[in-house]
């Protein structure tokens, strides 16, 4: 050992230095005791021969003039801008997720508390409470899914006095017709036979074609799905029950929404009574005269609430039938996300046909700024396929802002006035109305 005293003394500090620091490059040897910042500065000045001036806080050092002595030095080193941006983005995303979760928890709590009120207070006293202000306000907020079907059934009513037994009778007739129909011809034969549109719509075979197109993203109404046969039965029974109406495209969406919320026989009863309402009957029977009255009443409130957009549509001769027919035929179940469509149904069952047209104006109000920048083709395409990210909060706030009153006349009064004018016009044999 005495032979290598000097070399041992030279190597001693290197042995004491922690090997892990070499991950950051060559570092000056350190003593076991931490050095004071002044001593570090003096060593730097002695090595470089100049005084050290710390950079201003805003400046960023691109070239490191001396190697960091510890991880603390690395952390204190100014980070690149891209890292700061990424960190801020992650923080914003975390806050956004947290906000969504809070809103979801709050919504679930509201649904749970509302369900208790509906089950224990409102439904047992339906006739006495349905028209009260408290119930109407609770109704506007959306029905809890567990009571939705029951409330819909009560609100729609059963003026036709249909019983589950009657449903079974018409279902049996439909099955007999399907059996005899399948024995005589196949589905492809019907498509190639060149039958008229009216004949195909009245036939039970058209139902089979439409069922597969009903909520295709859910995969529950397609062939082999759990609700395929159920939807087929309800639509087939209705076709036999109302041969004067028959089956019309769009009915499958209405029946499907009812099936998702009610038992089979109850869904049929609600379906038949719903389609027996004046507005639905006018559209599904393709009563052009009545449909024009509804479009005219809609335009009265369109001009009242959204004058700029109304004039924009008028400049392109864009009439309500271009977008309203699809919305009314399916009661928005095809045009809106299913959960949002169900909430529209909630208030529709409360307010009747007026709310269908008020919802249409709410959609136009929600996208007014976008629609004002579009031409005829783009408006028609946009309203035929609405954005999928539409939320109930935004839509219902726009619907709430729509005033269904014109010159102190409400929807029913405006529509009755149009009907009266039409009758007087018929008496005078007006050529304009005939055209």
């Amino acid at each position: 050992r005495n032979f290598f005293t000097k070399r041992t003394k030279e190597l001693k500090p290197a042995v004491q230095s922690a090997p892990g620091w070499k991950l950051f490059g060559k570092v000056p040897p350190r003593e076991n005791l931490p050095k004071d910042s002044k001593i570090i500065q003096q060593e730097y000045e002695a090595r470089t021969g100049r005084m050290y001036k710390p950079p201003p806080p805003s400046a960023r050092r691109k070239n490191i003039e001396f190697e960091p002595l510890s991880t603390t030095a690395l952390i204190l080193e100014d980070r690149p801008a891209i890292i700061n941006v990424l960190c801020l983005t992650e923080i914003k995303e975390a806050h956004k997720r947290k906000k969504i979760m809070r809103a979801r928890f709050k919504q679930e709590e509201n649904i749970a508390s509302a369900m208790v009120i509906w089950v224990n207070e409102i439904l047992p006293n339906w006739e006495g409470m349905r028209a009260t202000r408290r119930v109407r306000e609770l109704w506007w907020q959306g029905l809890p899914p567990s009571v939705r079907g029951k409330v819909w059934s009560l609100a729609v009513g059963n003026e036709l006095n249909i019983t589950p037994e009657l449903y079974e009778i018409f279902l049996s007739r439909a099955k007999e017709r399907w059996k005899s129909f399948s024995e005589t011809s196949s589905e492809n034969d019907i498509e190639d036979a060149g039958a008229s549109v009216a004949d195909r719509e009245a036939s039970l075979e058209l139902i089979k074609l439409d069922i597969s197109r009903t909520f295709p993203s859910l995969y529950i109404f397609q062939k082999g799905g759990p609700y395929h046969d159920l939807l087929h039965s309800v639509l087939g029974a209705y076709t036999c029950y109302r041969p004067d109406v028959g089956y019309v495209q769009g009915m499958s969406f209405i029946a499907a929404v009812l099936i998702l919320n009610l038992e089979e026989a109850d869904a049929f009863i609600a379906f038949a009574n719903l389609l027996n309402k004046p507005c639905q009957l006018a559209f599904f029977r393709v009563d052009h005269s009545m449909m024009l009255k509804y479009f005219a009443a809609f335009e009265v409130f369109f001009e009242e609430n959204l004058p700029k957009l109304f004039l924009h549509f008028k400049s392109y001769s864009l009439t309500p039938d271009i977008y309203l027919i699809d919305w009314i035929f399916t009661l928005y179940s095809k045009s809106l996300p299913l959960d949002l469509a169900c909430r529209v149904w909630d208030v529709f069952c409360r307010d009747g046909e007026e709310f269908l047209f008020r919802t249409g104006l709410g959609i136009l109000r929600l996208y007014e700024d976008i629609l004002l920048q579009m031409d005829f083709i783009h408006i028609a395409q946009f309203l035929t396929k609405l954005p999928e990210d539409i939320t109930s909060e935004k839509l219902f706030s726009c619907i709430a802002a729509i005033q269904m009153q014109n010159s102190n006349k409400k929807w029913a009064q405006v529509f009755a006035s149009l009907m009266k004018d039409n009758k007087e016009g018929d008496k005078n044999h007006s050529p304009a109305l005939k055209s």
Side-chain angles (χ1 to χ4, degrees), residues 222-236:
Q222 282 64 47
K223 195 168 183 178
Y227 290 102
H228 175 271
D229 294 340
L230 194 58
L231 181 57
H232 198 189
S233 297
V234 170
L235 294 173

Side-chain angles (χ1 to χ4, degrees), residues 37 59 105 127-128 141 280 293 361 365 372 412 424 429:
S37 59
F105 287 139
E127 292 301 330
Q141 296 169 11
Q280 278 62 53
K293 303 297 176 299
L361 292 173
R365 182 185 177 90
L372 284 170
E424 291 177 356
H429 303 286

Side-chain angles (χ1 to χ4, degrees), residues 12-78:
K12 185 176 178 181
V15 174
Q16 290 176 350
S17 65
W21 297 114
K22 292 184 180 179
L23 291 171
F24 302 102
K26 293 179 182 180
V27 295
R30 296 182 56 189
E31 299 295 336
N32 289 335
L33 296 174
K35 294 182 180 180
D36 188 79
S37 59
K38 291 183 179 180
I39 297 173
I40 295 172
Q41 184 175 341
Q42 289 172 2
E43 289 180 355
Y44 168 76
E45 292 172 354
R47 188 168 74 251
T48 58
R50 56 195 176 95
M51 295 292 289
Y52 169 66
K53 295 181 179 180
S58 61
R60 297 184 181 275
R61 294 201 314 272
K62 293 184 178 179
N63 298 320
I64 300 174
E65 297 182 356
F66 68 98
E67 294 169 1
L69 301 177
S70 68
T71 51
T72 305
L74 284 174
I75 294 169
L76 292 175
E77 197 67 32
D78 287 339

Side-chain angles (χ1 to χ4, degrees), residues 39 64 97 147 380 390:
I39 297 173
I64 300 174
R97 287 193 297 269
V147 300
I390 184 171

Side-chain angles (χ1 to χ4, degrees), residues 385-411:
K385 186 173 176 56
L386 295 171
E388 296 179 359
D389 60 349
I390 184 171
T391 62
S392 61
E393 290 77 15
K394 290 181 180 178
L395 177 58
F396 269 76
S397 65
C398 288
I399 294 173
I402 298 296
Q403 298 297 320
M404 297 301 283
Q405 190 166 321
N406 176 264
S407 301
N408 296 324
K409 288 185 179 180
K410 295 184 178 180
W411 168 268

